[in-house]
Amino acid sequence: MTSPVPSPKFILRGHRAAIHAATFIRQNERLVTGDSDGFVVLWDLTVMRPRAVWRAHESAALGLRGWEDDKLITHGRDHKLIVWKIAREDESGLSTALPLDGDDVERRHPWVVHLLQVNTMNFCSFAACPSQVSTYSRFLRKCPEILIAVPNTLASESVDIYTLPSQKRIHTVKPGGRNGMVMSLSLVHLEKCLTLVAAFENGFASVHRLTPTGGWIMTYRAQAHSQPILSLDLGPDSKCFFTSGADAMVAKHPIPTAPQEMAKPFNPAERIIDEIDENPKQGDSLPSGGLKSKDAMRADDDTVLGAWKHPRRVINTKHSGQQSLEVRSDGAILATAGWDSKIRLYSCKTLRELAVLKWHKEGAYAVTFSDVGPRTDEEAHGDSEVQEADDVVDLSRLSVRDRRSHRVKAAHWVAAGAKDGKVSLWDMY
C-alpha cells in the first residue's frame, strides 16, 4: 500500500503578494510572514488569526527573525534592517487588517528599537547570533546583545558584522572578489570562536573563522553548485552546513575549525555525488562548472588550506531552483522551497528525499520549521526542566485555550509561503 499524500493542516490567507520570508517566534505560538510588498503579518497559531499587521518595508521583505520574546528583526529590499518591539502586550494596539484589505487601511507600526542602513542589492538576508556563546543561539533567546552579518555596503562580495544594540560595525570579512555577490550567510560561535559561513553567486561556499588576534582565516572553500547558491543553513551542532541553489544540487559541507585539519590527504570516498532516484548512471556527476578536481582547485587557489575542500555529500535532486533551505532544530530533516511550487523534505544524514509537500499552485519562496526540541547537548540540558514540565502536564485540567497553546507549541510545524500569497501549515514527522 502506498502512503497517503500529505495535506496541509491549515491555510492562512491574507497576503496579496508573494511571501518571501517566514519564521516562528515565542516557542511556536506565533508565525511571522513577510511579502514582496513589505507587509509583515504576525499570526496567532492558537486561533489561526492575525494579531498584528503592518508595512515594515517599502520593498520586499528578505528576512525575519525573532529576538528574545519581545523583539522582531526584519530585513527589506529598501536597504533597511529594523528591530521592532512587539511584546505580547503590544499586539492589542496594532491593526489586524490584512494586506488584502488594501493600502487605505490605517495600520499602526510597532515601536522601532533599532534601524540599520544596509546593502540589499544582493537579495541576501541577514544572519544573526549572540555576541557571546549562548545555549539559545539558534533562536536568539535570552540574548540581550547580538551580532548581525549583512553584505558590505560598497563591495557586495564582502560581509559586514554589526553588534546590536550598539549598532557598531566591528568586522568586515573579505572572502575575495572572484566569488561574485554574497547570496546567503550564517553566523555562529563554534568552539568559542566566531565563525562566518557564506555562499556566493559563483556556486562557491566558504567558512571563515575569527582569530584571537582579530583577523579572519578561511578554513573551507568548495564549489558544489554550477549556478548561484540561493540559501544555506547550519546543522544544530554546527559541525556541518547545507546549501541549495538555482541548479538542482543540494549539498552537505563540513565546517573545519582550523587550517591544519585541511592538510590530510584527500579521500575520494569523502565526496559522494548521488542522484535522488538512487539509480546513478555511469559517469553521472555535477554539471560543467561544478566540483573541481583536487589539482584544479590547487592550481587556482594558492592558499595553505590543503586538499580537504570538498562537500561531504552532493545530491542531484533533478529539481532546479530550491531556496529558503532550513534545518529543523533537532537536526533530523531539512526543507527547501521550490520554484516549482513544491516543498521538499530531506534527511540531514543522507540527503535522501523524505517527502514532497504539494498544495501551492505557484512558486514557493519561503519555508520554516517550528522549534521541536533539543538542538545541541548544551541546549538539550538547558531545556531539560522545561521538557520535564511539559511531560507531566495534565491536559484535562487545562482550559480550552491553554490546551490549544500546548498543542501548538508541541506540533512539528512546517510553514511554507508562495507566490500566491498563501501560507500552508503542515504537521510533519
Side-chain angles (χ1 to χ4, degrees):
M1 296 179 61
T2 59
S3 58
V5 177
S7 58
K9 291 284 187 181
F10 300 97
I11 301 296
L12 305 178
R13 295 175 171 88
H15 288 278
R16 66 181 180 187
I19 297 171
H20 282 260
T23 189
F24 287 90
I25 63 172
R26 297 186 199 155
Q27 291 80 57
N28 308 334
E29 283 192 336
R30 298 289 188 269
L31 171 68
V32 190
T33 53
D35 65 29
S36 60
D37 287 338
F39 279 99
V40 169
V41 179
L42 187 72
W43 303 91
D44 183 347
L45 296 187
T46 60
V47 294
M48 299 298 165
R49 293 290 186 272
R51 285 297 183 190
V53 182
W54 73 98
R55 192 169 189 180
H57 298 277
E58 298 173 4
S59 189
L62 290 175
L64 304 166
R65 192 159 181 184
W67 179 10
E68 298 187 301
D69 285 332
D70 62 346
K71 292 185 285 293
L72 176 71
I73 308 172
T74 67
H75 187 192
R77 285 296 317 280
D78 56 358
H79 304 286
K80 294 178 182 178
L81 187 144
I82 305 175
V83 180
W84 309 86
K85 182 183 181 299
I86 183 163
R88 193 182 304 272
E89 57 270 19
D90 298 325
E91 296 176 359
S92 60
L94 301 175
S95 172
T96 58
L98 290 162
L100 280 175
D101 296 330
D103 294 330
D104 297 335
V105 180
E106 183 179 354
R107 298 180 179 88
R108 180 171 166 262
H109 288 84
W111 185 264
V112 176
V113 182
H114 306 290
L115 191 154
L116 283 176
Q117 296 289 341
V118 297
N119 171 24
T120 55
M121 295 300 292
N122 298 35
F123 298 91
C124 175
S125 180
F126 73 99
C129 77
S131 61
Q132 304 294 331
V133 178
S134 169
T135 59
Y136 297 96
S137 59
R138 188 174 179 86
F139 297 95
L140 301 184
R141 293 161 55 192
K142 302 181 181 180
C143 303
E145 185 175 346
I146 63 173
L147 302 177
I148 296 286
V150 292
N152 181 267
T153 304
L154 299 178
S156 58
E157 71 277 1
S158 299
V159 179
D160 288 335
I161 299 178
Y162 293 84
T163 179
L164 292 177
S166 70
Q167 299 186 198
K168 294 181 178 178
R169 185 174 64 179
I170 57 174
H171 298 288
T172 296
V173 186
K174 300 178 180 179
R178 293 177 297 170
N179 295 318
M181 294 191 301
V182 178
M183 300 297 292
S184 188
L185 296 168
S186 191
L187 199 61
V188 68
H189 290 278
L190 183 57
E191 297 185 359
K192 299 182 180 180
C193 178
L194 185 61
T195 302
L196 173 73
V197 183
F200 300 93
E201 187 180 13
N202 65 349
F204 273 88
S206 57
V207 176
H208 307 265
R209 303 261 292 170
L210 180 64
T211 66
T213 59
W216 289 84
I217 59 171
M218 182 171 64
T219 62
Y220 176 79
R221 183 172 183 262
Q223 184 183 21
H225 299 269
S226 61
Q227 297 184 40
I229 296 177
L230 300 178
S231 56
L232 72 83
D233 196 18
L234 272 62
D237 58 3
S238 299
K239 294 181 180 179
C240 64
F241 69 98
F242 303 83
T243 58
S244 65
D247 57 10
M249 303 299 169
V250 174
K252 181 178 182 179
H253 306 259
I255 305 182
T257 56
Q260 289 77 10
E261 296 181 11
M262 308 286 285
K264 67 178 185 178
F266 171 62
N267 179 3
E270 293 180 2
R271 184 185 67 184
I272 305 175
I273 304 174
D274 290 333
E275 300 290 343
I276 199 65
D277 61 3
E278 301 185 13
N279 293 311
K281 298 178 182 179
Q282 184 69 27
D284 275 350
S285 184
L286 285 173
S288 176
L291 280 173
K292 300 179 181 180
S293 68
K294 177 178 66 173
D295 293 336
M297 297 189 76
R298 279 179 170 172
D300 65 4
D301 189 352
D302 57 358
T303 61
V304 295
L305 301 185
W308 190 23
K309 300 179 183 179
H310 301 275
R312 291 180 177 175
R313 186 177 289 268
V314 180
I315 293 291
N316 183 355
T317 68
K318 301 182 181 179
H319 302 287
S320 60
Q322 297 185 63
Q323 63 184 60
S324 189
L325 184 151
E326 183 169 315
V327 179
R328 198 168 67 177
S329 60
D330 61 356
I333 61 177
L334 64 89
T336 62
W339 293 349
D340 60 358
S341 78
K342 298 176 178 62
I343 306 301
R344 290 181 169 83
L345 304 182
Y346 298 93
S347 163
C348 286
K349 183 177 181 179
T350 65
L351 292 188
R352 297 302 184 192
E353 187 178 275
L354 302 176
V356 179
L357 310 183
K358 306 176 184 178
W359 186 86
H360 298 279
K361 304 301 182 184
E362 300 180 86
Y365 299 144
V367 64
T368 188
F369 285 110
S370 60
D371 177 10
V372 300
R375 278 77 65 188
T376 64
D377 292 339
E378 289 182 346
E379 289 179 333
H381 177 74
D383 286 349
S384 59
E385 295 182 2
V386 176
Q387 292 171 354
E388 288 173 5
D390 287 343
D391 291 340
V392 298
V393 169
D394 185 357
L395 295 180
S396 64
R397 296 178 178 272
L398 298 178
S399 65
V400 173
R401 182 174 180 83
D402 288 341
R403 284 201 297 270
R404 286 178 180 172
S405 177
H406 185 273
R407 288 176 183 137
V408 162
K409 290 180 178 180
H412 289 194
W413 294 121
V414 179
K419 187 177 180 180
D420 55 15
K422 299 178 179 65
V423 181
S424 57
L425 270 175
W426 313 69
D427 191 354
M428 299 293 296
Y429 297 106

